[in-house]
């Protein structure tokens, strides 16, 4: 029987912004409608959201919209706010201030410490980290005055999410479009992590996905890994302030904000990429499913069926064992994907691959393994401890793994 799980594991649906107090500043731009979705997504992610708006923003979206979405009063005018000294109080309560959309005018005011509205007042009065998501016409964004303000704000530690290139309100295309909501939420999570996360200053390398070992130019030997487990660990590490590199086989997942991604296809490529990434890392977590064997000599051209042919023999040769080959990497964590004898097979891998601990999953169990949003794992440590964790989201499994990595890093 394993030890009692750590307290964090008692919250299977742990949400990334749980308990965080986010001040959301909304300026007057057509992109203000996206701020309503942002407000909603922040709430869904577990945050308390308090909205402040400029008078111009209320021309695009009403305060009532944000009041309904946030469940709190919205402050537009500090003189009529229900709370005395609202600008100071909102600023003090905030763990982070997000200004989305941030207009050119707002950036200019922020750069010069001017406070004509509740958004800039809150920015000047807060000691919390500030994230801005600019939205404006591309000529305004590219103007020397705006770029000089942006440089001054970056120098002061303000974090920028976007703008991105695309279709603008004018109908033209260019840089100036507000970043999409998932990118803003990702940037916020990264900013909060690097502000107070327990892995800030650490470099965590994660591998994800399966490999494709070519049979010929159109076919390969692969497996069912979607990369979800590895990407969830990478996001959890990013949320705790780590610099994260993900080395991934071919998967259909977007790169999460603030994470460095290296795409590979084969085990040979994954090994080469991980040798570089782990040369000075604090931890390496091998959630990938690299192929144990590859076709010995891939055909140069597409293999054709011959008349009457009933069979095709493929000769496979052993691939290098990536994690066993890597000399270091810091805290070394492996996975074991098993269909039987989970603990016994995992323990063998723990030793032969020189791991600090191994995360064993039965890939035939309901809700576990390939392609699922959840996983049920057993963690076997090099000192003999065994921990059985409940079925929980892959993101929560990521945090459980990182709790143990953080404990080893001290
Ligand atoms: O990507 P998902 O769809 O979310 O699925 C998640 C998962 C099932 C792939 C994941 O939870 C998982 O179990 N990953 C490990 C898959 C695997 O290759 O397990 P294994 O028992 O065959 O290998 C043991 C360990 O050695 C693993 O850490 C593996 O990354 C590593 N290995 C394996 C082969 C190889 N040539 N080099 C390696 O480093």
């Amino acid at each position: 029987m394993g030890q009692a799980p750590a307290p964090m594991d008692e919250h299977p649906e742990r949400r990334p912004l749980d308990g965080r107090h986010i001040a959301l500043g909304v300026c007057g731009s057509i992109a203000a409608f996206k701020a309503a979705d942002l407000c909603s997504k922040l709430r869904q992610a577990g945050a308390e959201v308090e909205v402040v708006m400029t008078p111009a923003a209320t021309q695009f979206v009403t305060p009532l919209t944000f009041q309904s979405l946030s469940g709190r009063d919205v402050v537009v005018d500090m003189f009529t706010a229900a709370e005395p000294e609202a600008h100071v109080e909102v600023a003090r309560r905030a763990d982070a201030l997000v200004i989305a959309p941030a207009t050119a005018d707002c950036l200019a005011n922020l750069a010069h410490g001017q406070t004509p509205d509740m958004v800039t007042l809150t920015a000047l009065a807060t000691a919390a980290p500030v994230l801005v998501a600019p939205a404006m016409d591309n000529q305004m964004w590219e103007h020397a005055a705006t770029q000089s303000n942006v440089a001054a704000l970056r120098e002061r530690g303000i974090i920028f999410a976007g703008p991105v290139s695309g279709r603008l309100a004018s109908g033209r295309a260019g840089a100036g479009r507000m970043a999409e909501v998932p990118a803003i939420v990702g940037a916020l999570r990264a900013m909060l992590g690097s502000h107070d996360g327990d892995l800030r200053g650490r470099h965590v390398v994660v591998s994800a996905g399966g490999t494709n070992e070519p049979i010929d130019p159109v076919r390969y030997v692969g497996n069912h890994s979607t990369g979800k487990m590895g990407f969830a660990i990478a996001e959890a590490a990013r949320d705790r302030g780590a610099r994260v590199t993900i080395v991934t086989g071919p998967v259909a997942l977007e790169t999460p904000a603030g994470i460095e991604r290296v795409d590979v296809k084969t085990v040979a490529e994954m090994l080469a990429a991980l040798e570089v990434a782990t040369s000075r890392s604090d931890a390496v977590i091998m959630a990938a499913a690299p192929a144990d064997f590859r076709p010995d000599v891939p055909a140069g051209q597409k293999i054709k069926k011959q008349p009457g042919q009933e069979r095709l023999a493929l000769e496979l040769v052993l691939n290098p064992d990536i994690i066993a080959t890597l000399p270091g990497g810091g805290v070394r964590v492996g996975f074991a994907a098993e269909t039987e004898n989970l603990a016994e097979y995992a323990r063998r891998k723990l030793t032969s691959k020189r791991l600090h601990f191994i995360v064993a999953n039965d890939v035939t169990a309901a809700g576990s393994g390939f392609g699922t949003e959840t996983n049920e794992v057993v963690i076997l440590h090099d000192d003999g401890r065994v921990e059985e964790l409940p079925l929980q989201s892959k993101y929560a499994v990521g945090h459980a793994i990182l709790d143990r990595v953080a404990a080893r890093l001290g």
Side-chain angles (χ1 to χ4, degrees), residues 207-210 223-231 251 253 267 270 274 285-293 318-326 333-338 345-346 349 353 355 358-361 363 368-375 377 394:
S207 71
N223 60 61
H224 296 299
S225 176
T226 59
K228 285 182 183 174
M229 188 66 247
F231 276 63
V251 296
L253 300 176
V267 164
M270 187 173 275
L274 282 168
I285 303 171
M286 279 296 295
D292 286 329
F293 294 93
L318 191 64
N319 259 330
D321 187 314
I322 299 172
I323 188 66
T325 307
L326 292 174
V333 182
F335 268 73
E338 307 297 348
Y345 290 161
K349 289 173 183 174
K353 293 170 193 269
L355 302 170
I358 192 161
V359 183
N361 47 188
V363 293
S368 285
F370 298 110
T372 53
E373 299 301 325
T374 51
N375 210 356
V377 303
K394 285 185 172 172

Side-chain angles (χ1 to χ4, degrees), residues 46-302:
E48 288 292 328
V49 185
E50 205 161 3
V51 178
V52 293
M53 302 175 77
T54 66
T58 64
Q59 301 287 319
F60 293 91
V61 183
T62 67
L64 182 61
T65 304
F66 288 105
Q67 189 186 323
S68 307
L69 290 168
S70 67
R72 286 170 167 268
D73 283 344
V74 172
V75 187
V76 181
D77 180 354
M78 67 177 278
F79 298 109
T80 58
E83 187 178 32
E85 298 293 306
H87 62 299
V88 178
E89 297 310 324
V90 174
R92 278 191 195 282
R93 281 192 287 269
D95 292 315
L97 169 63
V98 179
I99 305 179
T103 56
D105 185 44
C106 174
L107 297 182
N109 286 324
L110 291 175
H112 295 95
Q114 288 175 347
T115 56
D117 51 57
M118 260 308 287
V119 173
T120 45
L121 270 169
T122 308
L124 199 65
T126 194
V130 178
L131 175 79
V132 295
M136 65 197 75
D137 184 69
N138 63 321
Q139 300 207 136
M140 293 170 80
W141 172 250
E142 285 153 14
H143 195 284
T146 304
Q147 287 305 308
S148 150
N149 292 332
V150 169
L153 293 170
R154 283 210 167 106
E155 176 78 13
R156 225 178 277 160
I158 306 266
I159 305 291
F160 279 72
V164 296
S165 291
R167 190 176 187 283
L168 303 170
S170 62
R172 299 187 185 88
R177 198 180 150 83
M178 191 168 96
E180 295 303 325
V181 169
I184 297 173
V185 175
L188 169 64
R189 286 162 56 176
M191 182 177 81
L192 283 166
S194 50
H195 186 66
D196 56 17
D198 62 350
L199 292 176
R200 63 188 187 280
R202 300 292 190 180
H203 181 205
V204 174
V205 177
V206 184
S207 71
T211 55
N212 291 356
E213 307 293 334
I215 296 170
D216 66 18
V218 299
R219 305 181 180 94
Y220 58 81
V221 173
N223 60 61
H224 296 299
S225 176
T226 59
K228 285 182 183 174
M229 188 66 247
F231 276 63
I233 300 167
E235 287 204 72
R238 185 270 322 265
D239 292 348
R240 295 168 77 138
R243 175 163 85 82
V244 183
T245 306
I246 190 152
V247 176
T248 179
V251 296
L253 300 176
E254 296 274 332
T255 310
I259 289 176
E260 182 196 353
R261 173 176 179 157
V262 182
D263 286 290
V264 297
K265 283 209 174 85
T266 63
V267 164
E269 289 173 15
M270 187 173 275
L271 174 58
L274 282 168
E275 277 171 346
V276 174
T278 60
S279 62
R280 293 161 67 93
S281 63
D282 294 292
V284 52
I285 303 171
M286 279 296 295
D292 286 329
F293 294 93
R294 67 175 189 278
D296 190 6
V297 184
Q301 303 298 331
K302 183 180 174 191

Side-chain angles (χ1 to χ4, degrees), residues 102 131 134 175 183 309 354 385:
L131 175 79
Q309 184 180 9
R354 297 177 289 109
R385 279 178 302 135

